[in-house]
């Protein structure tokens, strides 16, 4: 019988581990997608754009941009422009990017504002932003293409609704929580409710059995009260207080735990005074 139990436990562990590896591969696979949009003209500027971070509190996207030159716009290599290159962006902080002719281009960090999305919706929050580029080489509009990918560990992002008249490119970026961060956030919410309900059940049992002041149980309840704060602060992305996770679980779990501890204490004191 013991051998059967050990085998069952081993199989369960193997199944769970395999499921975890599959989920990991599916999650990481969504982060490696490249989105390509724009002109396919042989003489064009391709903007290699990577999303480094979604700043949910500042409502900005941190983008890293590297121009890649094709055809007669390149001076021997795709990293050296044959003519002065200017890239105007829709960023309100960075604005115009300039690259001198015959000098190697370098990556540029640009911050784009978010149009839609609030961190207060965590863990269901998602963000939308419009990114735009206007490119000239030697004071002439040139065809533009865009390669976009996301490197933010907490968000997956995709490119939609791109338009590219000559010299311009505009597209929408949609960023949402990764599968892993969403699962962890949901687990924390369920765990907070489970802990609070466990404390409530213990409190009702102690009072109904007229057990008085049960110090170990009361110590556990008090410890749970502070453990819930640690659970809340472990939420991926460190959402500010007042997010949906608080109204959906944390505030209620703290309230139930506090009320249970006070209920047991008051009833225990009353019984102790009567004996």
């Amino acid at each position: 019988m013991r051998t059967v139990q050990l085998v069952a436990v081993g199989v369960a562990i193997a199944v769970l581990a395999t499921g975890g590896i599959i989920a990991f591969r599916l999650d990481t696979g969504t982060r490696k997608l490249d989105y390509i949009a724009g002109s396919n003209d042989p003489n064009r500027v391709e903007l290699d754009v990577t999303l480094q971070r979604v700043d949910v509190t500042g409502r900005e996207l941190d983008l890293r941009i590297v121009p890649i030159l094709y055809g007669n716009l390149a001076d021997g290599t795709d990293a050296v422009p044959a003519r002065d290159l200017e890239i105007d962006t829709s960023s309100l902080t960075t604005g115009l990017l300039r690259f001198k002719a015959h000098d190697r281009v370098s990556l540029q960090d640009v911050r784009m504002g978010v149009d839609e999305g609030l961190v207060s919706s965590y863990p269901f929050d998602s963000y939308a932003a419009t990114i735009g580029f206007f490119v000239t080489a030697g004071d002439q509009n040139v065809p533009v293409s865009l390669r976009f990918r996301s490197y933010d560990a907490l968000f997956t992002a995709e490119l939609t609704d791109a338009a590219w008249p000559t010299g311009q490119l505009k597209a929408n970026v949609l960023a949402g929580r990764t599968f892993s961060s969403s699962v962890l956030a949901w687990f924390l919410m369920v765990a907070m409710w489970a802990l609070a309900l466990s404390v409530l059940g213990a409190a009702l049992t102690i009072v109904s059995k007229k057990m008085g002041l049960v110090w170990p149980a009361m110590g556990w309840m008090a410890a749970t009260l502070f453990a819930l704060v640690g659970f809340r602060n472990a939420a991926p992305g460190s959402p500010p207080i007042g997010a949906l996770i608080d109204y959906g679980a944390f505030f209620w779990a703290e309230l139930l735990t506090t009320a249970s501890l006070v209920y047991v204490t008051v009833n225990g004191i009353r019984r102790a005074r009567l004996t």
Side-chain angles (χ1 to χ4, degrees):
M1 184 65 179
R2 183 174 179 83
T3 302
V4 174
Q5 292 177 340
L6 290 175
V7 171
V9 170
V11 170
I13 292 174
V15 170
L16 292 174
T18 302
I21 293 172
I22 293 174
F24 166 77
R25 291 191 173 276
L26 292 174
D27 187 31
T28 54
T30 60
R31 306 185 201 181
K32 296 179 180 179
L33 297 177
D34 283 9
Y35 296 89
I36 300 174
S39 172
N40 58 3
D41 192 294
N43 302 307
R44 71 181 188 277
V45 174
E46 180 179 281
L47 302 176
D48 190 318
V49 178
T50 56
L51 173 61
Q52 300 294 312
R53 186 172 71 98
V54 179
D55 184 352
V56 296
T57 55
R59 293 178 55 80
E60 291 181 319
L61 305 181
D62 291 345
L63 303 178
R64 183 158 290 176
I65 301 173
V66 179
I68 301 173
L69 306 148
Y70 290 92
N72 57 23
L73 298 177
D75 185 14
T77 174
D78 60 10
V80 178
R83 293 174 279 170
D84 287 346
L85 182 68
E86 292 187 350
I87 303 174
D88 197 5
T89 72
S90 58
S91 170
L92 297 178
T93 57
T94 305
L96 189 65
L97 308 177
R98 292 186 173 90
F99 304 91
K100 291 293 185 181
H102 315 299
D103 288 342
R104 185 177 180 84
V105 300
S106 59
L107 61 85
Q108 302 290 321
D109 291 324
V110 176
R111 296 175 70 87
M112 299 278 194
V114 168
D115 301 322
E116 298 178 11
L118 293 173
V119 68
S120 58
S121 300
Y122 182 93
F124 302 111
D125 54 329
S126 60
Y127 303 88
T130 300
I131 59 174
F133 304 93
F134 182 81
V135 183
T136 60
D139 296 327
Q140 293 183 342
N141 296 349
V142 295
V144 186
S145 63
L146 178 69
R147 181 182 296 270
F148 178 87
R149 67 185 70 87
S150 174
Y151 287 161
D152 192 315
L154 297 177
F155 287 89
T156 57
E158 61 177 331
L159 201 70
T160 63
D161 302 329
W164 53 89
T166 301
Q168 301 180 51
L169 192 147
K170 181 184 289 186
N172 293 329
V173 175
L174 300 177
R177 295 283 173 181
T178 61
F179 174 76
S180 56
S181 61
S182 296
V183 167
L184 180 54
W186 271 104
F187 171 77
L188 293 176
M189 293 176 69
V190 172
M192 285 188 279
W193 271 109
L195 287 173
L197 293 176
S198 297
V199 170
L200 177 62
L204 295 175
T205 301
I206 290 172
V207 173
S208 65
K209 297 293 185 180
K210 300 179 181 180
M211 299 171 65
L213 292 170
V214 183
W215 297 108
M218 293 168 63
W220 163 63
M221 293 177 184
T224 302
L225 190 64
F226 294 99
L228 288 169
V229 177
F231 264 76
R232 167 61 177 79
N233 292 335
S238 301
I241 291 294
L244 182 60
I245 189 176
D246 298 316
Y247 289 98
F250 177 65
F251 291 159
W252 297 110
E254 287 283 280
L255 177 61
L256 286 176
T257 303
T258 302
S260 299
L261 178 57
V262 172
Y263 181 49
V264 169
T265 303
V266 170
N267 279 273
I269 293 173
R270 289 177 59 187
R271 287 194 59 81
R273 291 174 65 89
L274 293 175
T275 57

